[in-house]
Amino acid sequence: MTERPLGAQISHMLKDRGVDVIFGIPGVHNQEMYRGIEEAGITHVLARHEQGAGFMADGYARATGKPGVAYVITGPGLCNIMTPMGQAYSDSVPMLVISSCLDETAARRGQLHQMKDQEGAARAVCDWSETARTAEAAYGLIDRAFGEFKVRRKRPKSLVVPINVLEGQAKSFPSKRPPPSTYHLGADLVLDVKPAVRNAKRPLFIFGGGARKAHNFARDVLEKTDAACFMTYAGRGVIADNYPLNFGPTLARPASADVIAQADVVIAVGTELAEVDLWRQYLGCAAQLIRVDLDVEVLGDGQEAHSQLQIDATVFLSSLSHDLKEHSAATDWTTDEVINFRSRMRAEIDAERPGILPVVDALKEVLSPYTMIYSDMTQFAYAAKEVYPMDRPAHWHHPYGFGTLGYALPAAIGGKIGVGDQPVIAILGDYGFQYTVQELAVAVELELTLPIIIWDNGKLGEIEDSMVRAQIAPNAVVQRNPDFCKLAEAYSAASAAPRDLAAFQQAIKDALAADGPTIIHVKSDIALK
């Protein structure tokens, strides 16, 4: 068995477990983890800030389905990546963050990068945080993380390793373990809900992000039952937008509760039905509600489901699809009521956010359906994610739960690294872009073809609107922006400042053909001129 410093062994073990890319920043405290990266054959992406490294790992994981891995230093490095960890936790993204830590903190003060409780700090924003004080513990925790990524709800993990342990000689890591078996809790209960679906006259499915891998079975079930459906924002694309009884990702619209109340059975698959899904406390279901989810905490929430199945969405929907093999239903849902509802919701969105939807439509016209989109907390994305048609899941990524500004640029960089030649774009607001603008240097450095759309309304528009609704005089919501095109030039990136929709579309086409990133600066009145 080859002996190496543990820091080097960890990189070799990660490569053995399928890791090809690591995002991070080296420092004197974690430099031992960098000893084995090149030897192991892993690509390291140097972020400009640990927050950027975390969002890149998140974007990579969402794009590829593989865990995103990041290396950070003791103390501030860990603190800086905690925001991305919180985002990954809320949105069920597999991420492993490995940080160094001081050897001893109880009896000494004033050490470089010292924290009172680094392990505990990370635990506040991830699935678990553990300190490995031996090589064996580090190996075991890495395998635990990768095993749980396969069979449990995907959420970030934090592995903390003391500096002296990283520096110490360690025997080689153990052989790769067989993948853990999945125990499908509640599988026998599927039989109990099948009659309710078969006999319903107005069955309604709600698909969340947890159903993305089961989209083929989901579509088969709907075709065999003529059921209607909604999707959460994270579940967009599970059912193609052109399915005739698809009410779309409009659950957050108050009128969706009226539609849901007309169903005689509602099956919610892979969704928390959380505040950020509904923007109201209750779903509005007046009939039988069936919840399907891996997370028992979700099943026990305040929606008071009649049936709660702790089971993987793919197992549930494949079983249901098989059972409905000979079933051909004719429900009471009509395409006219779906068309009318979606038309009313579009008009409502257009009235709330004038000038955005024509730009959304123009964007859709020039993008391939294979384009992977990363958006930030910006009014353009808020409108677009309710109307932009998606025919496949996991192709629009947004910081849904934690709601972090500055997400889209580094996440899109991570996504582009993960998918290679597949087109990727980023959509940000003028304010949020400046949270992580420094990561533009990474996209330039790696020559990533990446259109970066900056939606510029010169203010924190959403906050201003919220203040007005609350009868608060708008305060601290207007900022002075830089010249974004000159900023792009300073980073050696391309830029464009289209003044009409035709020029906007051409700028997108040009950016997708460029050998590097392009800033596309779009004023919020572009469609109103």
Side-chain angles (χ1 to χ4, degrees):
M1 298 178 68
T2 304
E3 282 202 358
R4 301 185 182 95
L6 177 62
Q9 295 283 29
I10 287 174
S11 293
H12 281 270
M13 181 178 184
L14 291 173
K15 179 65 175 180
D16 184 71
R17 271 42 173 183
V19 175
D20 296 314
V21 181
I22 291 174
F23 303 89
I25 300 176
V28 293
H29 279 186
N30 72 342
Q31 64 188 15
E32 282 295 334
M33 296 192 299
Y34 285 75
R35 186 186 294 275
I37 287 182
E38 289 189 7
E39 186 182 59
I42 293 176
T43 298
H44 180 271
V45 176
L46 176 63
R48 297 310 190 257
H49 188 282
E50 287 90 357
Q51 186 178 73
F55 286 144
M56 289 177 198
D58 173 299
Y60 176 89
R62 296 194 200 209
T64 65
K66 299 171 62 175
V69 179
Y71 281 175
V72 297
I73 62 164
T74 314
L78 188 278
C79 288
N80 286 340
I81 205 172
M82 283 173 61
T83 296
M85 291 167 72
Q87 188 63 63
Y89 183 85
S90 69
D91 289 352
S92 300
V93 178
M95 183 192 300
L96 176 60
V97 175
I98 304 179
S99 62
S100 56
C101 72
L102 295 172
D103 303 327
E104 189 281 320
T105 58
R108 295 182 63 190
R109 291 290 182 265
Q111 300 179 80
L112 179 65
H113 302 331
Q114 186 164 14
M115 290 181 70
K116 293 173 67 176
D117 185 0
Q118 183 169 316
E119 177 188 302
R123 187 175 293 117
V125 289
C126 65
D127 189 24
W128 52 254
S129 176
E130 301 290 350
T131 301
R133 302 196 180 279
T134 65
E136 291 73 22
Y139 299 152
L141 288 166
I142 289 171
D143 271 337
R144 173 186 169 188
F146 280 87
E148 291 177 2
F149 288 146
K150 291 182 180 296
V151 299
R152 289 177 54 182
R153 185 175 182 177
K154 294 174 173 56
R155 279 178 156 164
K157 329 283 186 183
S158 168
L159 173 59
V160 183
V161 189
I163 297 168
N164 68 345
V165 178
L166 288 170
E167 294 172 343
Q169 290 293 310
K171 293 181 179 180
S172 184
F173 50 88
S175 300
K176 191 174 182 179
R177 300 175 180 176
S181 300
T182 304
Y183 175 54
H184 299 301
L185 295 171
D188 56 327
L189 298 179
V190 180
L191 297 173
D192 296 336
V193 304
K194 289 177 179 178
V197 177
R198 282 197 304 265
N199 299 329
K201 291 299 182 183
R202 290 176 76 85
L204 178 68
F205 283 81
I206 299 174
F207 297 109
R212 286 177 298 198
K213 289 187 176 180
H215 62 277
N216 288 330
F217 294 118
R219 295 175 184 189
D220 192 53
V221 167
L222 293 193
E223 289 172 0
K224 290 176 178 177
T225 60
D226 286 336
C229 69
F230 281 95
M231 284 162 291
T232 68
Y233 297 138
R236 294 166 62 208
V238 170
I239 304 302
D241 195 70
N242 61 5
Y243 175 66
L245 298 178
N246 183 356
F247 284 99
T250 52
L251 280 175
R253 296 278 136 192
S256 70
D258 298 330
V259 175
I260 292 166
Q262 298 173 34
D264 52 6
V265 62
V266 177
I267 306 97
V269 184
T271 171
E272 292 181 337
L273 298 179
E275 177 185 77
V276 294
D277 297 319
L278 306 175
W279 292 111
R280 58 181 181 269
Q281 187 172 2
Y282 296 108
L283 181 62
C285 179
Q288 182 180 8
L289 174 61
I290 300 169
R291 298 290 298 276
V292 179
D293 207 281
L294 273 179
D295 191 339
V296 70
E297 183 179 350
V298 168
L299 296 174
D301 68 7
Q303 297 296 339
E304 299 181 351
H306 296 78
S307 300
Q308 303 172 6
L309 282 68
Q310 187 183 6
I311 183 175
D312 179 79
T314 301
V315 176
F316 172 77
L317 291 169
S318 62
S319 176
L320 194 58
S321 172
H322 182 269
D323 188 66
L324 297 169
K325 188 173 182 180
E326 305 299 328
H327 177 60
S328 178
T331 68
D332 292 342
W333 296 109
T334 67
T335 56
D336 284 345
E337 62 186 309
V338 176
I339 292 170
N340 290 336
F341 175 84
R342 296 195 66 165
S343 178
R344 287 190 293 115
M345 294 308 99
R346 182 182 173 91
E348 192 174 286
I349 296 163
D350 195 32
E352 288 175 357
R353 308 186 191 281
I356 293 180
L357 296 194
V359 188
V360 174
D361 294 340
L363 180 64
K364 178 61 180 177
E365 287 178 5
V366 295
L367 291 185
S368 156
Y370 297 98
T371 303
M372 195 157 285
I373 301 171
Y374 289 84
S375 60
D376 217 287
M377 302 295 285
T378 175
Q379 288 184 319
F380 185 92
Y382 301 155
K385 66 186 183 182
E386 293 193 80
V387 300
Y388 191 99
M390 304 291 293
D391 65 357
R392 65 202 68 215
H395 276 66
W396 188 304
H397 307 290
H398 185 81
Y400 299 107
F402 214 40
T404 56
L405 280 165
Y407 169 81
L409 174 57
I413 290 170
K416 182 61 176 175
I417 290 169
V419 300
D421 292 336
Q422 183 177 344
V424 176
I425 72 167
I427 300 171
L428 309 93
D430 54 329
Y431 193 81
F433 171 65
Q434 296 177 73
Y435 269 54
T436 50
V437 59
Q438 67 275 4
E439 304 307 339
L440 180 59
V442 180
V444 170
E445 200 168 72
L446 300 179
E447 299 181 344
L448 300 180
T449 297
L450 181 64
I452 303 163
I453 300 170
I454 300 177
W455 182 255
D456 182 3
N457 59 12
K459 61 179 70 174
L460 293 168
E462 190 71 7
I463 308 307
E464 181 182 64
D465 292 348
S466 180
M467 285 180 167
V468 170
R469 288 194 298 268
Q471 298 184 349
I472 299 170
N475 189 10
V477 294
V478 177
Q479 80 279 354
R480 180 174 177 176
N481 282 327
D483 184 320
F484 290 111
C485 291
K486 287 184 178 179
L487 185 61
E489 182 182 350
Y491 277 99
S492 299
S495 66
R499 294 294 177 255
D500 57 48
L501 293 182
F504 170 70
Q505 290 181 316
Q506 187 60 50
I508 297 292
K509 294 176 183 177
D510 292 344
L512 287 169
D515 294 327
T518 304
I519 294 292
I520 302 174
H521 180 208
V522 182
K523 291 282 191 177
S524 59
D525 62 354
I526 189 172
L528 300 177
K529 295 178 179 180

